[in-house]
Amino acid sequence: MAPKRIQVEKASHTRSRQAKSGLIRSTYDTLSSPENASVVKSLTAFGLAVTFLTSSWAEWLLVLVPPAPSATVSS
């Protein structure tokens, strides 16, 4: 029995554009799916916390912390 024919398509520019939009669309669909909602929320909260703590706004947290008592040694 003779082998079946396999058709090979030449790569074109329109196909690569479709692949890029397909990749973006599949990434968006994956991130917005209900199954991944908790992971996306957790990563967003972590990113916001890191951004806040590395900014100058984190100095407002120092107001909330009382100063440590100074250790004095009397002789």
Side-chain angles (χ1 to χ4, degrees), residues 7-57:
Q7 293 181 350
V8 179
E9 294 181 23
K10 293 183 180 180
S12 66
H13 296 291
T14 57
R15 186 154 176 91
S16 64
R17 287 182 187 160
Q18 290 174 352
K20 287 181 184 178
S21 66
L23 175 65
I24 293 169
R25 183 67 181 170
S26 69
T27 303
Y28 176 78
D29 289 341
T30 301
L31 291 176
S32 62
S33 71
E35 299 168 347
N36 297 329
S38 62
V39 175
V40 172
K41 288 177 186 177
S42 299
L43 289 174
T44 303
F46 178 76
L48 289 173
V50 168
T51 302
F52 175 77
L53 292 174
T54 58
S55 70
S56 62
W57 285 91

Side-chain angles (χ1 to χ4, degrees), residues 58-70:
E59 293 177 9
W60 285 91
L61 294 176
L62 295 176
V63 175
L64 302 175
V65 178
S70 59

